[in-house]
Amino acid sequence: MKYILVTGGVISGIGKGIIASSIGTILKSCGLRVTAIKIDPYINIDAGTFSPYEHGEVFVLNDGGEVDLDLGNYERFLDINLYKDNNITTGKIYQHVINKERHGDYLGKTVQVVPHITDAVQEWVMNQAKVPVDDDRKEPQICLGGTIGDIEGMPFVEAFRQFQFKAKRENFCNIHVSLVPQPNATGEQKTKPTQNSVRALRGLGLSPDLIVCRSAKPIEMAVKEKISMFCHVEPEQVIFIHDVSSTYRVPILLEEQGIMKYFKQRLNLPINDQPSDLLMKWKKMACRYERLMKVCSIALVGKYTKLSDCYASVFKALEHSALAINYKLDLMYIDSTELERSTEVENSVKYHQAWHKLCKADGILVPGGFGIRGTEGKLQAISWARSKKKPFLGVCLGMQLAVVEFARNCLNWKDANSTEFDPVTKNPVVIDMPEHNLGDMGGTMRLGKRRTVFKTENSVLRKLYGGEMFVEERHRHRYEVNPELTHCFEEKGLKFVGHDTEGNRMEIIELENHPYFVGVQFHPEFSSRPMKPSPPYLGLLLAATGTLNAYLQRGCKLSP
């Protein structure tokens, strides 16, 4: 097993996840089996209870793990399926060690950060690195891992300081990602932050084999030579990644700078120097992305719109679908509260700007979420999409609110609501799931990959999924459509075309006589891949560009 540790310096959010994913893509393109582990220093057991404004979206895995969004990058780039234990947190490690201490595994010894916590980290990494993540179920050959240098992450840094000797030099490589800022006042690219970052890492016992420098513009050769001289590495060990038009370009930049050749020599990898078919596909995809001319605009109506990372997987799923049909995505984020009547009173400019965005969009998407804030704005957007026959996709809460909107405006149940927002509503069209735990919040939802069975062949989504009898997608919810009321909706044209294996839990809705009005209880964005777009999102883009019917008539084949 070869281990590649990716550390970050100067600032967080510098792109460690994308760079690690891109390195994995290059290695996978050489025929190697790659897995990935993300290390987060927070004390939470998992990311499930975070506000999206804390660390971005919560990514859900097949096994129900609620994890950091970087694991979503790993899955999308490498086309693998990870597990919750591929996300290590301080909370998980301490819980593991404390449980062992309570069990008596340490035989009365004083349990300390060194060696017990650091040993637990190393043991966890070695065990998880062996778990198959590809469809062929073979053991991985390379494990990519990411951590940081904050004070709360020191036990992890110390664990890897020890681990580099345990794994041996020929099996362990450290990549340090740093920032090369360019102040507007001088226009000069500054190397001092990178020098200080590398010096601090060396002081902790880790010496970087590769230094990946992030910058706004391409870095000059003189800067590369300066970093090489002051950071004690060869010039070819300094890699530059400047801001690019799309993340698809990052693996290409790395490959062009000889990173494959370096890994072959440094880790003694059994690979060829020539780029493979997979990397050529990435190059073609990156070039095609940059040449796109036609634009499709989608309005994303949500409550966490101030930070794009809050809907990272939704954005990527839309982007994958747009690229598949040769359109450039124009994603317009609309804060759902700004569509509400209260905003018209408080700030009429914001209100009219939000509605102007919504009205000019080619399609409307209402993603998942929690809490009552912004729900009336989402209901307004759904009502607009339904009545004006605008292509619409509702995901999780978006589907539930589509049911609420239909009940209020088509069934004339004016007080219809979800028990999440009004526990005593007379028309509870969305209810708590029977197994919903009202006590603990963490890990108590319906999580992970579940089967959804189509109950009719006359379904747009079934056709988009290739006519399959069932699909398996990832879930994350506490509430569900009330199964006792579904017949009322179906009589008026809102069809529940998919349900769980028992037939009690509603999973997919479709509205009759509408170009594309679809809601799904699951989160299809988590399984979208650059070369395999998610069918519900692809359907939205096709409908928004007016090409859905032609696509279905071709037997769900994309035009060249």
Side-chain angles (χ1 to χ4, degrees):
M1 178 69 69
K2 309 290 183 182
Y3 299 91
I4 298 174
L5 174 68
V6 181
T7 54
V10 185
I11 60 170
S12 61
I14 200 169
K16 294 189 303 296
I18 294 293
I19 287 166
S21 303
S22 299
I23 290 167
T25 301
I26 292 170
L27 293 168
K28 187 164 185 176
S29 76
C30 297
L32 298 169
R33 295 185 299 278
V34 183
T35 187
I37 291 173
K38 174 71 195 304
I39 298 170
D40 287 303
Y42 43 71
I43 297 174
N44 303 59
I45 298 297
D46 59 30
T49 55
F50 281 144
S51 158
Y53 284 138
E54 289 283 319
H55 290 272
E57 76 167 3
V58 177
F59 190 81
V60 180
L61 303 171
N62 278 347
D63 65 355
E66 297 172 287
V67 296
D68 185 86
L69 60 82
D70 271 339
L71 274 82
N73 287 323
Y74 296 154
E75 285 205 347
R76 283 187 287 269
F77 272 75
L78 301 173
D79 195 16
I80 56 177
N81 291 304
L82 298 170
Y83 301 91
K84 57 187 169 189
D85 285 346
N86 286 81
N87 192 191
I88 305 175
T89 69
T90 298
K92 281 183 183 177
I93 293 294
Y94 274 75
Q95 186 182 59
H96 174 69
V97 170
I98 289 167
N99 287 343
K100 287 180 74 174
E101 184 273 332
R102 292 287 84 188
H103 190 254
D105 291 2
Y106 297 117
L107 300 175
K109 290 184 178 178
T110 304
V111 180
Q112 297 174 290
V113 172
V114 180
H116 301 101
I117 295 294
T118 53
D119 284 353
V121 171
Q122 295 173 63
E123 181 187 340
W124 194 302
V125 168
M126 286 190 291
N127 289 340
Q128 198 59 30
K130 296 174 185 175
V131 177
V133 291
D134 283 304
D135 292 337
D136 62 9
R137 312 308 299 159
K138 290 183 180 177
E139 186 176 307
Q141 297 162 290
I142 293 182
C143 177
L144 280 160
T147 184
I148 57 170
D150 288 348
I151 190 166
E152 57 189 352
M154 286 304 106
F156 295 108
V157 176
E158 172 59 21
F160 284 106
R161 186 196 68 77
Q162 298 172 20
F163 186 70
Q164 64 186 326
F165 302 111
K166 185 182 288 187
K168 307 297 182 191
R169 176 174 164 75
E170 64 272 15
N171 298 323
F172 183 89
C173 179
N174 176 210
I175 299 171
H176 191 61
V177 184
S178 185
L179 177 70
V180 176
Q182 191 169 0
N184 290 332
T186 62
E188 184 185 359
Q189 292 170 329
K190 297 293 184 181
T191 65
K192 192 68 72 179
T194 297
Q195 292 178 44
N196 292 336
S197 179
V198 171
R199 189 180 301 119
L201 189 66
R202 279 218 171 87
L204 297 169
L206 286 170
S207 292
D209 297 286
L210 284 174
I211 300 172
V212 179
C213 299
R214 287 281 292 107
S215 61
K217 296 177 181 176
I219 293 177
E220 299 155 10
M221 185 54 67
V223 176
K224 181 172 187 172
E225 289 169 353
K226 190 174 181 181
I227 291 171
S228 166
M229 180 169 63
F230 286 105
C231 295
H232 199 63
V233 291
E234 294 288 338
E236 57 267 26
Q237 291 171 261
V238 182
I239 307 289
F240 298 146
I241 301 292
H242 59 272
D243 292 350
V244 286
S245 58
S246 79
T247 53
Y248 308 126
R249 181 59 65 185
V250 178
I252 316 304
L253 283 176
L254 290 168
E255 192 267 332
E256 286 171 352
Q257 294 178 67
I259 200 168
M260 203 188 305
K261 187 178 178 182
Y262 178 79
F263 280 134
K264 182 181 179 182
Q265 169 261 319
R266 173 68 178 77
L267 295 173
N268 194 25
L269 297 176
I271 57 176
N272 296 320
D273 290 337
Q274 297 301 317
S276 71
D277 289 344
L278 178 60
L279 207 56
M280 291 306 291
K281 284 180 183 176
W282 273 88
K283 283 184 180 178
K284 288 177 183 174
M285 187 165 59
C287 292
R288 192 153 57 89
Y289 180 89
E290 288 159 6
R291 289 199 303 265
L292 294 173
M293 299 296 290
K294 294 181 287 185
V295 177
C296 178
S297 61
I298 300 294
L300 187 155
V301 183
K303 61 189 282 191
Y304 308 114
T305 54
K306 291 175 186 171
L307 186 65
S308 59
D309 272 357
C310 297
Y311 297 110
S313 291
V314 171
F315 170 69
K316 287 297 177 186
L318 287 168
E319 189 179 63
H320 299 160
S321 297
L323 184 59
I325 61 172
N326 295 314
Y327 272 78
K328 183 174 283 188
L329 174 69
D330 175 20
L331 184 59
M332 300 183 292
Y333 293 96
I334 300 175
D335 188 331
S336 56
T337 58
E338 293 177 3
L339 297 171
E340 296 175 358
R341 289 289 180 190
S342 57
T343 303
E344 185 181 19
V345 175
E346 296 164 10
N347 191 332
S348 61
V349 174
K350 266 189 178 179
Y351 175 80
H352 289 295
Q353 285 175 341
W355 272 101
H356 177 68
K357 275 187 187 178
L358 187 75
C359 294
K360 73 175 186 178
D362 298 316
I364 296 169
L365 170 68
V366 177
F370 298 91
I372 194 168
R373 184 177 69 82
T375 52
E376 287 304 317
K378 292 176 184 178
L379 287 166
Q380 294 280 348
I382 293 166
S383 182
W384 169 266
R386 181 184 55 77
S387 59
K388 301 296 181 183
K389 296 195 182 297
K390 281 274 186 183
F392 166 80
L393 175 63
V395 176
C396 196
L397 177 63
M399 169 189 155
Q400 295 171 5
L401 290 178
V403 172
V404 172
E405 188 278 332
F406 193 88
R408 289 182 184 181
N409 296 322
C410 297
L411 301 182
N412 210 29
W413 299 349
K414 295 303 179 186
D415 66 337
N417 214 331
S418 165
T419 55
E420 179 181 5
F421 313 127
D422 182 3
V424 294
T425 177
K426 291 179 182 175
N427 288 296
V429 295
V430 177
I431 57 173
D432 299 52
M433 292 189 299
E435 65 269 40
H436 176 198
N437 185 327
L438 294 171
D440 293 341
M441 295 291 284
T444 57
M445 289 185 275
R446 183 171 179 248
L447 293 163
K449 188 165 79 170
R450 311 281 177 135
R451 180 169 291 189
T452 295
V453 180
F454 288 103
K455 66 178 189 180
T456 174
E457 291 186 10
N458 186 27
S459 159
V460 173
L461 210 52
R462 181 171 183 175
K463 291 172 185 173
L464 287 166
Y465 272 105
E468 299 289 340
M469 293 178 65
F470 63 85
V471 294
E472 292 182 325
E473 294 279 11
R474 301 175 188 183
H475 293 67
R476 184 177 185 246
H477 64 110
R478 285 194 182 93
Y479 297 85
E480 63 176 341
V481 174
N482 189 341
E484 294 179 6
L485 301 176
T486 54
H487 65 280
C488 301
F489 293 91
E490 298 220 324
E491 287 168 6
K492 292 287 185 177
L494 188 68
K495 302 295 185 182
F496 294 88
V497 299
H499 50 67
D500 68 347
T501 50
E502 282 77 38
N504 299 323
R505 192 157 277 153
M506 300 304 113
E507 293 277 1
I508 303 170
I509 61 166
E510 291 179 12
L511 182 62
E512 289 183 340
N513 303 316
H514 193 286
Y516 190 81
F517 191 95
V518 172
V520 291
Q521 185 59 70
F522 46 83
H523 288 265
E525 63 270 18
F526 293 143
S527 53
S528 181
R529 302 288 185 262
M531 297 175 198
K532 289 185 283 187
S534 165
Y537 285 91
L538 181 61
L540 176 65
L541 268 293
L542 287 164
T545 55
T547 56
L548 178 59
N549 288 336
Y551 176 78
L552 295 175
Q553 286 166 9
R554 285 195 304 271
C556 295
K557 291 178 181 175
L558 293 167
S559 57

PDB file of all heavy atoms in Angstrom, residues 402-403 406 486 489-496 509-512 517:
ATOM      1  N   ALA A 402     -43.576  20.674  -2.616  1.00  0.00           N
ATOM      2  CA  ALA A 402     -44.388  20.594  -3.822  1.00  0.00           C
ATOM      3  C   ALA A 402     -45.738  19.942  -3.517  1.00  0.00           C
ATOM      4  O   ALA A 402     -46.779  20.336  -4.053  1.00  0.00           O
ATOM      5  CB  ALA A 402     -43.646  19.806  -4.903  1.00  0.00           C
ATOM      6  N   VAL A 403     -45.709  18.962  -2.626  1.00  0.00           N
ATOM      7  CA  VAL A 403     -46.955  18.298  -2.198  1.00  0.00           C
ATOM      8  C   VAL A 403     -47.806  19.266  -1.382  1.00  0.00           C
ATOM      9  O   VAL A 403     -49.029  19.351  -1.555  1.00  0.00           O
ATOM     10  CB  VAL A 403     -46.625  17.023  -1.387  1.00  0.00           C
ATOM     11  CG1 VAL A 403     -47.885  16.430  -0.769  1.00  0.00           C
ATOM     12  CG2 VAL A 403     -45.944  15.984  -2.275  1.00  0.00           C
ATOM     13  N   PHE A 406     -49.370  21.861  -3.735  1.00  0.00           N
ATOM     14  CA  PHE A 406     -50.461  21.271  -4.520  1.00  0.00           C
ATOM     15  C   PHE A 406     -51.705  21.112  -3.648  1.00  0.00           C
ATOM     16  O   PHE A 406     -52.831  21.369  -4.096  1.00  0.00           O
ATOM     17  CB  PHE A 406     -50.019  19.921  -5.082  1.00  0.00           C
ATOM     18  CG  PHE A 406     -50.919  19.378  -6.148  1.00  0.00           C
ATOM     19  CD1 PHE A 406     -50.741  19.711  -7.480  1.00  0.00           C
ATOM     20  CD2 PHE A 406     -51.976  18.521  -5.820  1.00  0.00           C
ATOM     21  CE1 PHE A 406     -51.587  19.215  -8.472  1.00  0.00           C
ATOM     22  CE2 PHE A 406     -52.824  18.018  -6.797  1.00  0.00           C
ATOM     23  CZ  PHE A 406     -52.631  18.364  -8.130  1.00  0.00           C
ATOM     24  N   THR A 486     -52.461  10.075  -0.265  1.00  0.00           N
ATOM     25  CA  THR A 486     -51.937  10.107  -1.639  1.00  0.00           C
ATOM     26  C   THR A 486     -53.029   9.979  -2.697  1.00  0.00           C
ATOM     27  O   THR A 486     -52.914  10.557  -3.784  1.00  0.00           O
ATOM     28  CB  THR A 486     -50.897   8.996  -1.850  1.00  0.00           C
ATOM     29  OG1 THR A 486     -51.466   7.726  -1.490  1.00  0.00           O
ATOM     30  CG2 THR A 486     -49.651   9.247  -1.005  1.00  0.00           C
ATOM     31  N   PHE A 489     -54.355  13.283  -4.055  1.00  0.00           N
ATOM     32  CA  PHE A 489     -53.469  13.967  -5.002  1.00  0.00           C
ATOM     33  C   PHE A 489     -53.535  13.309  -6.388  1.00  0.00           C
ATOM     34  O   PHE A 489     -53.558  13.994  -7.404  1.00  0.00           O
ATOM     35  CB  PHE A 489     -52.025  13.931  -4.486  1.00  0.00           C
ATOM     36  CG  PHE A 489     -51.807  14.747  -3.237  1.00  0.00           C
ATOM     37  CD1 PHE A 489     -51.951  14.192  -1.977  1.00  0.00           C
ATOM     38  CD2 PHE A 489     -51.455  16.082  -3.328  1.00  0.00           C
ATOM     39  CE1 PHE A 489     -51.758  14.940  -0.830  1.00  0.00           C
ATOM     40  CE2 PHE A 489     -51.260  16.846  -2.189  1.00  0.00           C
ATOM     41  CZ  PHE A 489     -51.411  16.280  -0.928  1.00  0.00           C
ATOM     42  N   GLU A 490     -53.543  11.981  -6.393  1.00  0.00           N
ATOM     43  CA  GLU A 490     -53.518  11.258  -7.662  1.00  0.00           C
ATOM     44  C   GLU A 490     -54.781  11.541  -8.482  1.00  0.00           C
ATOM     45  O   GLU A 490     -54.733  11.615  -9.714  1.00  0.00           O
ATOM     46  CB  GLU A 490     -53.348   9.764  -7.415  1.00  0.00           C
ATOM     47  CG  GLU A 490     -52.033   9.423  -6.707  1.00  0.00           C
ATOM     48  CD  GLU A 490     -51.378   8.169  -7.240  1.00  0.00           C
ATOM     49  OE1 GLU A 490     -52.106   7.241  -7.589  1.00  0.00           O
ATOM     50  OE2 GLU A 490     -50.126   8.141  -7.302  1.00  0.00           O
ATOM     51  N   GLU A 491     -55.910  11.710  -7.794  1.00  0.00           N
ATOM     52  CA  GLU A 491     -57.164  12.016  -8.498  1.00  0.00           C
ATOM     53  C   GLU A 491     -57.085  13.344  -9.241  1.00  0.00           C
ATOM     54  O   GLU A 491     -57.749  13.544 -10.253  1.00  0.00           O
ATOM     55  CB  GLU A 491     -58.331  12.048  -7.497  1.00  0.00           C
ATOM     56  CG  GLU A 491     -58.733  10.666  -6.994  1.00  0.00           C
ATOM     57  CD  GLU A 491     -59.681  10.738  -5.800  1.00  0.00           C
ATOM     58  OE1 GLU A 491     -60.108  11.878  -5.458  1.00  0.00           O
ATOM     59  OE2 GLU A 491     -59.975   9.680  -5.207  1.00  0.00           O
ATOM     60  N   LYS A 492     -56.252  14.255  -8.722  1.00  0.00           N
ATOM     61  CA  LYS A 492     -56.123  15.590  -9.331  1.00  0.00           C
ATOM     62  C   LYS A 492     -54.910  15.702 -10.250  1.00  0.00           C
ATOM     63  O   LYS A 492     -54.610  16.795 -10.745  1.00  0.00           O
ATOM     64  CB  LYS A 492     -56.027  16.654  -8.229  1.00  0.00           C
ATOM     65  CG  LYS A 492     -57.301  16.836  -7.435  1.00  0.00           C
ATOM     66  CD  LYS A 492     -58.365  17.557  -8.260  1.00  0.00           C
ATOM     67  CE  LYS A 492     -59.604  17.863  -7.427  1.00  0.00           C
ATOM     68  NZ  LYS A 492     -60.615  18.616  -8.197  1.00  0.00           N
ATOM     69  N   GLY A 493     -54.179  14.599 -10.457  1.00  0.00           N
ATOM     70  CA  GLY A 493     -53.102  14.619 -11.445  1.00  0.00           C
ATOM     71  C   GLY A 493     -51.683  14.629 -10.908  1.00  0.00           C
ATOM     72  O   GLY A 493     -50.728  14.604 -11.689  1.00  0.00           O
ATOM     73  N   LEU A 494     -51.505  14.686  -9.583  1.00  0.00           N
ATOM     74  CA  LEU A 494     -50.156  14.591  -9.017  1.00  0.00           C
ATOM     75  C   LEU A 494     -49.906  13.122  -8.679  1.00  0.00           C
ATOM     76  O   LEU A 494     -50.452  12.589  -7.716  1.00  0.00           O
ATOM     77  CB  LEU A 494     -50.002  15.460  -7.762  1.00  0.00           C
ATOM     78  CG  LEU A 494     -48.577  15.574  -7.218  1.00  0.00           C
ATOM     79  CD1 LEU A 494     -47.685  16.356  -8.177  1.00  0.00           C
ATOM     80  CD2 LEU A 494     -48.542  16.233  -5.843  1.00  0.00           C
ATOM     81  N   LYS A 495     -49.081  12.473  -9.495  1.00  0.00           N
ATOM     82  CA  LYS A 495     -48.913  11.029  -9.399  1.00  0.00           C
ATOM     83  C   LYS A 495     -47.685  10.662  -8.563  1.00  0.00           C
ATOM     84  O   LYS A 495     -46.614  11.262  -8.721  1.00  0.00           O
ATOM     85  CB  LYS A 495     -48.749  10.431 -10.806  1.00  0.00           C
ATOM     86  CG  LYS A 495     -49.918  10.719 -11.745  1.00  0.00           C
ATOM     87  CD  LYS A 495     -51.206  10.058 -11.280  1.00  0.00           C
ATOM     88  CE  LYS A 495     -52.337  10.253 -12.278  1.00  0.00           C
ATOM     89  NZ  LYS A 495     -53.609   9.657 -11.803  1.00  0.00           N
ATOM     90  N   PHE A 496     -47.862   9.681  -7.700  1.00  0.00           N
ATOM     91  CA  PHE A 496     -46.736   9.140  -6.922  1.00  0.00           C
ATOM     92  C   PHE A 496     -46.237   7.905  -7.675  1.00  0.00           C
ATOM     93  O   PHE A 496     -46.760   6.798  -7.504  1.00  0.00           O
ATOM     94  CB  PHE A 496     -47.184   8.799  -5.501  1.00  0.00           C
ATOM     95  CG  PHE A 496     -47.566  10.019  -4.703  1.00  0.00           C
ATOM     96  CD1 PHE A 496     -48.856  10.518  -4.742  1.00  0.00           C
ATOM     97  CD2 PHE A 496     -46.618  10.703  -3.954  1.00  0.00           C
ATOM     98  CE1 PHE A 496     -49.208  11.659  -4.036  1.00  0.00           C
ATOM     99  CE2 PHE A 496     -46.961  11.851  -3.242  1.00  0.00           C
ATOM    100  CZ  PHE A 496     -48.254  12.323  -3.280  1.00  0.00           C
ATOM    101  N   ILE A 509     -42.633  12.028  -7.214  1.00  0.00           N
ATOM    102  CA  ILE A 509     -43.894  12.599  -7.715  1.00  0.00           C
ATOM    103  C   ILE A 509     -43.672  13.147  -9.124  1.00  0.00           C
ATOM    104  O   ILE A 509     -42.578  13.609  -9.457  1.00  0.00           O
ATOM    105  CB  ILE A 509     -44.441  13.724  -6.810  1.00  0.00           C
ATOM    106  CG1 ILE A 509     -43.440  14.897  -6.718  1.00  0.00           C
ATOM    107  CG2 ILE A 509     -44.808  13.201  -5.445  1.00  0.00           C
ATOM    108  CD1 ILE A 509     -44.027  16.161  -6.128  1.00  0.00           C
ATOM    109  N   GLU A 510     -44.737  13.068  -9.938  1.00  0.00           N
ATOM    110  CA  GLU A 510     -44.743  13.679 -11.270  1.00  0.00           C
ATOM    111  C   GLU A 510     -46.123  14.280 -11.502  1.00  0.00           C
ATOM    112  O   GLU A 510     -47.130  13.669 -11.161  1.00  0.00           O
ATOM    113  CB  GLU A 510     -44.419  12.645 -12.353  1.00  0.00           C
ATOM    114  CG  GLU A 510     -42.981  12.150 -12.323  1.00  0.00           C
ATOM    115  CD  GLU A 510     -42.695  11.107 -13.402  1.00  0.00           C
ATOM    116  OE1 GLU A 510     -43.545  10.937 -14.304  1.00  0.00           O
ATOM    117  OE2 GLU A 510     -41.631  10.468 -13.340  1.00  0.00           O
ATOM    118  N   LEU A 511     -46.143  15.470 -12.089  1.00  0.00           N
ATOM    119  CA  LEU A 511     -47.406  16.142 -12.369  1.00  0.00           C
ATOM    120  C   LEU A 511     -47.806  15.926 -13.824  1.00  0.00           C
ATOM    121  O   LEU A 511     -46.992  16.131 -14.727  1.00  0.00           O
ATOM    122  CB  LEU A 511     -47.262  17.649 -12.081  1.00  0.00           C
ATOM    123  CG  LEU A 511     -48.512  18.506 -12.283  1.00  0.00           C
ATOM    124  CD1 LEU A 511     -49.637  18.077 -11.356  1.00  0.00           C
ATOM    125  CD2 LEU A 511     -48.177  19.984 -12.065  1.00  0.00           C
ATOM    126  N   GLU A 512     -49.052  15.516 -14.017  1.00  0.00           N
ATOM    127  CA  GLU A 512     -49.561  15.315 -15.382  1.00  0.00           C
ATOM    128  C   GLU A 512     -49.689  16.655 -16.116  1.00  0.00           C
ATOM    129  O   GLU A 512     -49.880  17.704 -15.489  1.00  0.00           O
ATOM    130  CB  GLU A 512     -50.925  14.629 -15.333  1.00  0.00           C
ATOM    131  CG  GLU A 512     -50.868  13.171 -14.911  1.00  0.00           C
ATOM    132  CD  GLU A 512     -52.242  12.513 -14.938  1.00  0.00           C
ATOM    133  OE1 GLU A 512     -53.251  13.261 -14.901  1.00  0.00           O
ATOM    134  OE2 GLU A 512     -52.315  11.272 -14.997  1.00  0.00           O
ATOM    135  N   PHE A 517     -42.379  18.413 -14.108  1.00  0.00           N
ATOM    136  CA  PHE A 517     -42.622  18.787 -12.710  1.00  0.00           C
ATOM    137  C   PHE A 517     -42.401  17.529 -11.894  1.00  0.00           C
ATOM    138  O   PHE A 517     -43.280  16.665 -11.797  1.00  0.00           O
ATOM    139  CB  PHE A 517     -44.050  19.314 -12.530  1.00  0.00           C
ATOM    140  CG  PHE A 517     -44.295  19.963 -11.190  1.00  0.00           C
ATOM    141  CD1 PHE A 517     -44.168  21.338 -11.030  1.00  0.00           C
ATOM    142  CD2 PHE A 517     -44.641  19.200 -10.078  1.00  0.00           C
ATOM    143  CE1 PHE A 517     -44.399  21.947  -9.801  1.00  0.00           C
ATOM    144  CE2 PHE A 517     -44.866  19.786  -8.840  1.00  0.00           C
ATOM    145  CZ  PHE A 517     -44.750  21.175  -8.708  1.00  0.00           C
TER     146      PHE A 517
END
